[in-house]
Amino acid sequence: MVHPLAAADRWRIRRTVRSFNNMIKDLPGARRRDICRELHANLTASADDVGADEAIRRLGSLRHLAAEYLDVEFGSAPRPSWVGGLRWAMVLQYTSLVVLLAGTLSFGAGLEAGDPAPGTYRWAPFGGWIGDYREVFDHGGYGGFTLNVNRLLVTHAVLFLIVYVAGGRLWRLLPIRRRRNS
Amino acid sequence: MPTHDPQLLKGVLSLLLLRLLAEQESYGYQLVQRLRQAGIADIAEGTVYPALARLEREDRVTARLVPSRSGPARKYYKPSVSGYEALRRGSRAWRDLAGTVATLLDAPYPADPAPPQEES
């Protein structure tokens, strides 16, 4: 039996494929597009046969289908995850900013409590690679602060990259690792 | 039509797909239809499509896109050289296993199982 597809049917099929596409985002782009294109073609053929609603129902759980495709690509070993890597990297960023803020505030509070002599006072842990913060005191009291971020930015960029790759297990995307795991 | 244990089917699905593809180059949904016509009525599309992807990943099938009048281009599969070899080996292994299982299952058994034999 042929079921001519209405615009609403085609839209429902496209929406199903889009939802599925979001569930396999950890697959390499070209492979993901190939799988989604194939699913679209198969769903359309099935819908021609039994109608769009039944075709989508017969597909079963999209999550289960996505898990099966991810299993084919990455095997049963822990999978790489772009989103997971980003999550860990953002945690690192927020934590380091909180530590930097706490450090500078504590340093400043400690200085002021000690009634410092006029001069420039510097807090630069790890040679300034975590932060290079200076407070100036003159005869009138507190004279302002400076924060040198050049080295800090380099440190953050390097740590971000390391945590992103480690947290997302992105080394598993290397072709030789994927072949070993298959 | 009898339903089939999904676990039993899972073990033999790749073999069935290779066999059907050896007969005729097909795309995913077409294979689902052919399996249903062969008597596996409760096969789900969500089982067949990843199985095809696995066969392609293992280089047991090759694929090509063929334009379709009714929608997106369809991906047609056929067995590769190693796919034909896997089909031959798998068919032989299945026949051996099926023969052994049939012999065991067809053997008569009593109403109550015999008690364990004491170790001497």
Side-chain angles (χ1 to χ4, degrees), chain A residues 65-135:
Chain A
L65 183 63
E68 290 285 311
Y69 274 105
L70 290 169
D71 200 50
V72 168
E73 191 70 22
F74 297 121
S76 53
R79 295 178 187 140
S81 170
W82 298 102
V83 173
L86 188 61
R87 207 176 285 139
W88 278 108
M90 294 309 296
V91 166
L92 168 73
Q93 293 285 61
Y94 291 134
T95 305
S96 63
L97 282 172
V98 166
V99 167
L100 180 63
L101 187 64
T104 54
L105 287 175
S106 302
F107 179 71
L111 270 182
E112 286 179 34
D115 192 20
T120 301
Y121 297 83
R122 185 187 183 209
W123 179 67
F126 297 101
W129 288 102
I130 303 297
D132 189 349
Y133 177 73
R134 296 167 199 235
E135 283 198 357

Coordinates of all heavy atoms in Angstrom, one line a residue, chain A residues 65-135:
Chain A
L65 N 18.5 3.5 19.5 CA 19.0 3.5 18.1 C 20.4 4.2 18.1 O 21.4 3.8 17.6 CB 18.1 4.1 17.1 CG 18.5 4.1 15.7 CD1 18.6 2.6 15.2 CD2 17.5 4.8 14.8
A66 N 20.4 5.4 18.8 CA 21.6 6.2 18.8 C 22.7 5.5 19.6 O 23.9 5.5 19.2 CB 21.3 7.6 19.5
A67 N 22.3 4.8 20.7 CA 23.3 4.1 21.5 C 23.9 2.9 20.6 O 25.1 2.6 20.7 CB 22.6 3.5 22.7
E68 N 23.1 2.3 19.8 CA 23.6 1.2 18.9 C 24.6 1.8 17.9 O 25.7 1.1 17.7 CB 22.4 0.6 18.2 CG 21.5 -0.2 19.0 CD 22.0 -1.5 19.5 OE1 22.5 -2.3 18.6 OE2 22.0 -1.9 20.6
Y69 N 24.3 2.9 17.3 CA 25.2 3.5 16.4 C 26.5 3.9 17.0 O 27.6 3.7 16.5 CB 24.6 4.7 15.6 CG 23.8 4.3 14.4 CD1 22.4 4.3 14.5 CD2 24.4 3.9 13.2 CE1 21.6 3.9 13.4 CE2 23.6 3.5 12.1 CZ 22.3 3.6 12.2 OH 21.5 3.2 11.1
L70 N 26.4 4.5 18.2 CA 27.6 4.9 19.0 C 28.5 3.7 19.3 O 29.7 3.7 19.3 CB 27.2 5.7 20.2 CG 26.7 7.1 20.0 CD1 26.0 7.7 21.2 CD2 27.7 8.0 19.4
D71 N 27.8 2.6 19.7 CA 28.5 1.4 20.0 C 29.2 0.8 18.8 O 30.3 0.3 18.9 CB 27.4 0.3 20.5 CG 28.1 -0.7 21.3 OD1 28.8 -0.4 22.2 OD2 27.9 -1.9 21.0
V72 N 28.6 0.9 17.6 CA 29.3 0.4 16.4 C 30.5 1.2 16.1 O 31.6 0.7 15.8 CB 28.3 0.6 15.2 CG1 29.1 0.4 13.8 CG2 27.2 -0.4 15.3
E73 N 30.5 2.6 16.4 CA 31.6 3.4 16.0 C 32.7 3.3 17.1 O 33.9 3.3 16.7 CB 31.1 4.9 16.0 CG 32.1 5.8 15.4 CD 32.4 5.6 13.9 OE1 31.5 5.1 13.2 OE2 33.4 6.0 13.4
F74 N 32.3 3.3 18.4 CA 33.3 3.5 19.4 C 33.5 2.2 20.2 O 34.4 2.1 21.0 CB 32.9 4.6 20.4 CG 32.9 5.9 19.8 CD1 31.7 6.7 19.8 CD2 34.0 6.5 19.1 CE1 31.6 7.9 19.2 CE2 33.9 7.7 18.5 CZ 32.8 8.4 18.6
G75 N 32.7 1.2 20.0 CA 32.8 0.0 20.8 C 32.3 0.2 22.2 O 31.6 1.2 22.4
S76 N 32.5 -0.8 23.1 CA 31.9 -0.7 24.4 C 32.8 0.0 25.4 O 32.4 0.2 26.5 CB 31.7 -2.2 24.9 OG 32.9 -2.9 24.8
A77 N 34.0 0.5 24.9 CA 34.9 1.3 25.8 C 34.2 2.6 26.1 O 33.3 3.1 25.3 CB 36.2 1.4 25.2
P78 N 34.6 3.3 27.1 CA 34.1 4.7 27.4 C 34.3 5.6 26.1 O 35.4 5.6 25.5 CB 35.0 5.2 28.5 CG 35.4 4.0 29.2 CD 35.6 2.9 28.2
R79 N 33.2 6.3 25.8 CA 33.2 7.0 24.5 C 33.8 8.5 24.7 O 33.6 9.1 25.7 CB 31.8 7.1 24.0 CG 31.3 5.8 23.6 CD 29.9 5.8 23.2 NE 29.4 4.5 23.0 CZ 28.2 4.1 23.3 NH1 27.4 4.9 23.8 NH2 27.8 2.8 23.2
P80 N 34.3 9.0 23.6 CA 34.7 10.4 23.6 C 33.4 11.3 23.7 O 32.4 10.8 23.2 CB 35.5 10.6 22.3 CG 35.0 9.6 21.4 CD 34.6 8.4 22.3
S81 N 33.5 12.4 24.2 CA 32.4 13.3 24.3 C 32.8 14.8 24.3 O 33.5 15.3 25.2 CB 31.6 13.0 25.6 OG 30.6 14.0 25.8
W82 N 32.4 15.4 23.2 CA 32.7 16.9 23.1 C 32.1 17.7 24.2 O 32.7 18.5 24.8 CB 32.2 17.4 21.7 CG 32.9 16.8 20.5 CD1 32.3 15.8 19.7 CD2 34.2 17.0 20.0 NE1 33.2 15.5 18.8 CE2 34.3 16.2 18.9 CE3 35.2 17.9 20.4 CZ2 35.5 16.2 18.1 CZ3 36.4 17.9 19.6 CH2 36.5 17.0 18.5
V83 N 30.8 17.3 24.5 CA 30.1 18.0 25.5 C 30.7 17.8 26.9 O 30.9 18.7 27.7 CB 28.6 17.6 25.5 CG1 27.9 18.2 26.7 CG2 28.0 18.0 24.2
G84 N 31.1 16.5 27.1 CA 31.7 16.2 28.4 C 33.0 16.9 28.6 O 33.3 17.5 29.7
G85 N 33.8 17.0 27.6 CA 35.1 17.7 27.7 C 34.9 19.2 27.9 O 35.6 19.8 28.8
L86 N 33.9 19.8 27.3 CA 33.6 21.2 27.5 C 33.1 21.5 28.9 O 33.5 22.4 29.5 CB 32.5 21.7 26.5 CG 32.2 23.2 26.4 CD1 33.4 23.9 26.0 CD2 31.0 23.4 25.5
R87 N 32.3 20.5 29.4 CA 31.8 20.7 30.8 C 32.9 20.7 31.8 O 33.0 21.6 32.7 CB 30.9 19.5 31.1 CG 29.8 19.7 32.1 CD 28.9 18.5 32.3 NE 28.0 18.4 31.1 CZ 27.6 17.3 30.6 NH1 28.2 16.1 31.0 NH2 26.8 17.3 29.6
W88 N 33.9 19.8 31.6 CA 35.0 19.7 32.6 C 35.9 21.0 32.4 O 36.4 21.6 33.4 CB 35.9 18.5 32.3 CG 35.4 17.3 32.9 CD1 34.8 16.2 32.3 CD2 35.4 16.9 34.3 NE1 34.4 15.3 33.2 CE2 34.8 15.7 34.4 CE3 35.9 17.6 35.4 CZ2 34.7 15.0 35.7 CZ3 35.8 17.0 36.6 CH2 35.2 15.7 36.8
A89 N 36.1 21.4 31.2 CA 36.9 22.6 31.0 C 36.2 23.9 31.6 O 36.9 24.7 32.1 CB 37.1 22.9 29.5
M90 N 34.9 24.0 31.5 CA 34.2 25.1 32.1 C 34.3 25.0 33.6 O 34.4 26.1 34.3 CB 32.7 25.1 31.7 CG 32.5 25.4 30.2 SD 33.4 26.8 29.6 CE 32.6 28.1 30.5
V91 N 34.2 23.8 34.2 CA 34.4 23.7 35.6 C 35.8 24.2 36.1 O 35.9 24.9 37.0 CB 34.2 22.2 36.1 CG1 34.7 22.0 37.5 CG2 32.8 21.8 36.0
L92 N 36.8 23.9 35.3 CA 38.2 24.3 35.5 C 38.2 25.9 35.5 O 38.8 26.5 36.4 CB 39.1 23.8 34.5 CG 40.5 24.4 34.5 CD1 41.3 24.0 35.8 CD2 41.3 24.1 33.3
Q93 N 37.6 26.4 34.4 CA 37.6 27.9 34.3 C 37.0 28.6 35.5 O 37.6 29.5 36.0 CB 36.9 28.3 33.0 CG 37.5 27.9 31.7 CD 38.7 28.7 31.4 OE1 39.7 28.7 32.1 NE2 38.7 29.4 30.3
Y94 N 35.8 28.1 35.9 CA 35.1 28.8 37.0 C 35.9 28.6 38.3 O 36.0 29.5 39.0 CB 33.7 28.2 37.1 CG 32.7 28.6 36.0 CD1 31.9 27.6 35.4 CD2 32.6 29.9 35.5 CE1 31.1 27.9 34.4 CE2 31.8 30.2 34.5 CZ 31.0 29.2 33.9 OH 30.2 29.5 32.9
T95 N 36.4 27.4 38.5 CA 37.2 27.2 39.7 C 38.4 28.0 39.8 O 38.7 28.6 40.8 CB 37.6 25.7 39.8 OG1 36.4 24.9 39.6 CG2 38.3 25.4 41.1
S96 N 39.1 28.2 38.7 CA 40.3 29.0 38.7 C 40.0 30.4 38.9 O 40.8 31.2 39.6 CB 41.1 28.7 37.4 OG 40.4 29.2 36.3
L97 N 38.9 30.9 38.3 CA 38.5 32.3 38.5 C 38.1 32.6 40.0 O 38.5 33.6 40.5 CB 37.3 32.6 37.6 CG 37.7 32.9 36.2 CD1 36.4 33.1 35.3 CD2 38.5 34.1 36.0
V98 N 37.4 31.6 40.6 CA 37.1 31.7 42.0 C 38.3 31.7 42.9 O 38.5 32.6 43.8 CB 36.1 30.6 42.4 CG1 36.0 30.5 43.9 CG2 34.8 30.7 41.8
V99 N 39.3 30.9 42.5 CA 40.5 30.8 43.3 C 41.3 32.1 43.1 O 41.8 32.7 44.1 CB 41.4 29.6 42.8 CG1 42.8 29.7 43.4 CG2 40.8 28.3 43.3
L100 N 41.3 32.6 41.9 CA 42.1 33.9 41.7 C 41.4 35.0 42.4 O 42.1 35.9 43.1 CB 42.0 34.2 40.2 CG 42.8 35.5 39.7 CD1 44.2 35.4 40.1 CD2 42.6 35.7 38.2
L101 N 40.1 35.1 42.4 CA 39.3 36.2 43.1 C 39.6 36.1 44.6 O 39.9 37.1 45.3 CB 37.9 36.0 42.8 CG 37.0 37.2 43.3 CD1 37.3 38.5 42.6 CD2 35.5 36.8 43.0
A102 N 39.4 34.8 45.1 CA 39.7 34.6 46.6 C 41.1 35.0 47.0 O 41.3 35.6 48.0 CB 39.4 33.2 46.9
G103 N 42.0 34.6 46.1 CA 43.4 34.9 46.4 C 43.7 36.4 46.4 O 44.3 36.9 47.4
T104 N 43.2 37.2 45.4 CA 43.4 38.6 45.4 C 42.7 39.3 46.5 O 43.3 40.2 47.1 CB 43.0 39.2 44.0 OG1 41.6 38.8 43.8 CG2 43.9 38.7 42.9
L105 N 41.5 38.9 46.8 CA 40.8 39.5 47.9 C 41.4 39.3 49.2 O 41.6 40.2 50.1 CB 39.3 39.0 47.9 CG 38.4 39.5 46.8 CD1 37.0 38.9 46.9 CD2 38.3 41.1 46.9
S106 N 41.9 38.1 49.4 CA 42.6 37.7 50.7 C 43.9 38.5 50.8 O 44.2 39.0 51.9 CB 42.8 36.2 50.7 OG 41.7 35.5 50.6
F107 N 44.6 38.6 49.7 CA 45.9 39.3 49.8 C 45.6 40.8 50.1 O 46.3 41.3 51.0 CB 46.5 39.2 48.4 CG 47.8 39.9 48.2 CD1 49.0 39.4 48.9 CD2 47.9 41.0 47.5 CE1 50.2 40.1 48.8 CE2 49.1 41.7 47.3 CZ 50.3 41.2 48.0
G108 N 44.6 41.3 49.5 CA 44.3 42.8 49.7 C 43.9 43.0 51.1 O 44.3 43.9 51.8
A109 N 43.0 42.1 51.6 CA 42.5 42.2 53.0 C 43.6 42.1 54.0 O 43.7 42.8 55.0 CB 41.4 41.2 53.2
G110 N 44.5 41.1 53.7 CA 45.6 40.9 54.6 C 46.5 42.1 54.7 O 47.0 42.6 55.7
L111 N 46.8 42.7 53.5 CA 47.6 43.9 53.4 C 47.0 45.1 54.2 O 47.7 45.7 55.0 CB 47.7 44.4 52.0 CG 48.9 43.8 51.1 CD1 48.8 44.4 49.7 CD2 50.2 44.1 51.8
E112 N 45.8 45.3 54.0 CA 45.1 46.5 54.7 C 45.1 46.3 56.2 O 45.2 47.2 56.9 CB 43.7 46.7 54.1 CG 43.8 47.3 52.7 CD 42.4 47.5 52.1 OE1 41.4 47.8 52.9 OE2 42.2 47.3 50.9
A113 N 44.9 45.1 56.6 CA 44.8 44.8 58.0 C 46.2 45.0 58.7 O 46.3 45.4 59.8 CB 44.4 43.3 58.2
G114 N 47.2 44.9 57.9 CA 48.6 45.1 58.4 C 49.1 46.5 58.3 O 50.2 46.8 58.7
D115 N 48.2 47.4 57.9 CA 48.6 48.8 57.8 C 50.0 49.0 57.1 O 51.0 49.4 57.7 CB 48.7 49.5 59.2 CG 48.8 51.0 59.1 OD1 48.4 51.6 58.0 OD2 49.3 51.6 60.0
P116 N 50.0 48.7 55.8 CA 51.3 48.6 55.1 C 52.0 49.9 54.9 O 51.3 50.9 54.7 CB 51.0 47.9 53.8 CG 49.5 48.3 53.5 CD 48.9 48.4 54.9
A117 N 53.3 49.9 54.8 CA 54.1 51.1 54.5 C 53.9 51.4 53.0 O 53.5 50.5 52.2 CB 55.6 50.8 54.8
P118 N 54.1 52.6 52.6 CA 53.9 53.0 51.1 C 54.8 52.1 50.3 O 56.0 51.8 50.6 CB 54.4 54.4 51.1 CG 54.1 55.0 52.4 CD 54.4 53.8 53.4
G119 N 54.3 51.6 49.2 CA 55.0 50.8 48.2 C 54.1 49.9 47.4 O 52.9 50.1 47.5
T120 N 54.7 49.1 46.6 CA 53.9 48.2 45.8 C 54.1 46.8 46.3 O 55.2 46.3 46.5 CB 54.4 48.2 44.3 OG1 54.3 49.6 43.8 CG2 53.6 47.3 43.4
Y121 N 52.9 46.1 46.5 CA 52.9 44.7 47.0 C 52.4 43.8 46.0 O 51.4 44.1 45.3 CB 52.1 44.7 48.3 CG 52.7 45.5 49.4 CD1 52.4 46.9 49.5 CD2 53.5 45.0 50.4 CE1 52.9 47.7 50.5 CE2 54.0 45.7 51.4 CZ 53.7 47.1 51.4 OH 54.2 47.9 52.4
R122 N 53.1 42.7 45.8 CA 52.8 41.8 44.7 C 52.4 40.4 45.2 O 53.0 39.8 46.1 CB 54.0 41.7 43.8 CG 53.8 40.9 42.5 CD 55.1 40.7 41.8 NE 54.8 40.0 40.5 CZ 55.8 39.2 39.9 NH1 56.9 39.1 40.5 NH2 55.5 38.6 38.8
W123 N 51.3 39.9 44.6 CA 50.9 38.5 44.8 C 51.0 37.8 43.5 O 50.2 38.1 42.6 CB 49.5 38.4 45.4 CG 49.0 37.0 45.6 CD1 49.5 36.1 46.5 CD2 48.0 36.3 45.0 NE1 48.9 34.9 46.5 CE2 47.9 35.0 45.5 CE3 47.1 36.7 43.9 CZ2 47.0 34.1 45.1 CZ3 46.1 35.7 43.5 CH2 46.1 34.4 44.1
A124 N 52.0 36.9 43.3 CA 52.1 36.2 42.0 C 52.5 34.8 42.2 O 53.7 34.4 42.1 CB 53.2 36.9 41.2
P125 N 51.5 33.9 42.6 CA 51.9 32.5 42.8 C 52.4 31.8 41.5 O 51.9 32.2 40.4 CB 50.6 31.9 43.3 CG 49.5 32.8 42.8 CD 50.1 34.1 42.7
F126 N 53.3 30.9 41.7 CA 53.8 30.1 40.6 C 54.4 31.0 39.5 O 54.2 30.8 38.3 CB 52.7 29.2 39.9 CG 52.2 28.2 40.9 CD1 50.9 28.4 41.5 CD2 52.9 27.0 41.2 CE1 50.4 27.5 42.4 CE2 52.3 26.1 42.1 CZ 51.1 26.3 42.7
G127 N 55.2 31.9 39.9 CA 55.9 32.8 39.0 C 55.0 33.7 38.2 O 55.4 34.1 37.1
G128 N 53.7 33.9 38.6 CA 52.8 34.8 37.9 C 52.0 34.0 36.9 O 51.2 34.6 36.2
W129 N 52.1 32.7 36.8 CA 51.4 32.0 35.8 C 49.9 31.7 36.2 O 49.1 31.3 35.4 CB 52.1 30.6 35.5 CG 53.3 30.8 34.7 CD1 54.6 30.7 35.2 CD2 53.5 31.1 33.3 NE1 55.5 31.0 34.2 CE2 54.8 31.2 33.0 CE3 52.5 31.2 32.3 CZ2 55.3 31.4 31.7 CZ3 53.0 31.5 31.0 CH2 54.4 31.6 30.7
I130 N 49.6 31.9 37.5 CA 48.2 31.8 38.0 C 47.6 33.2 38.0 O 46.4 33.4 37.9 CB 48.2 31.1 39.3 CG1 48.9 29.7 39.3 CG2 46.8 31.0 39.8 CD1 48.2 28.8 38.4
G131 N 48.4 34.2 38.3 CA 48.0 35.6 38.4 C 49.1 36.5 38.8 O 50.0 36.0 39.5
D132 N 49.1 37.7 38.5 CA 50.1 38.7 38.9 C 49.4 39.9 39.3 O 49.1 40.8 38.5 CB 51.1 39.0 37.7 CG 52.3 39.8 38.2 OD1 52.3 40.3 39.3 OD2 53.2 39.9 37.4
Y133 N 49.1 40.0 40.6 CA 48.3 41.0 41.2 C 49.2 41.9 42.1 O 50.0 41.5 42.9 CB 47.2 40.3 42.0 CG 46.3 41.3 42.8 CD1 45.3 42.0 42.1 CD2 46.3 41.4 44.2 CE1 44.5 42.9 42.7 CE2 45.5 42.3 44.8 CZ 44.6 43.0 44.1 OH 43.7 43.9 44.8
R134 N 49.0 43.2 41.9 CA 49.8 44.2 42.7 C 48.9 45.2 43.3 O 48.0 45.8 42.6 CB 50.8 44.9 41.8 CG 51.9 43.9 41.2 CD 52.7 44.6 40.1 NE 53.3 43.6 39.3 CZ 54.6 43.5 39.1 NH1 55.5 44.4 39.6 NH2 55.2 42.6 38.4
E135 N 49.2 45.6 44.5 CA 48.4 46.7 45.2 C 49.5 47.7 45.5 O 50.6 47.5 46.0 CB 47.7 46.2 46.4 CG 46.4 45.4 46.1 CD 45.5 45.3 47.3 OE1 45.8 45.8 48.4 OE2 44.4 44.8 47.1

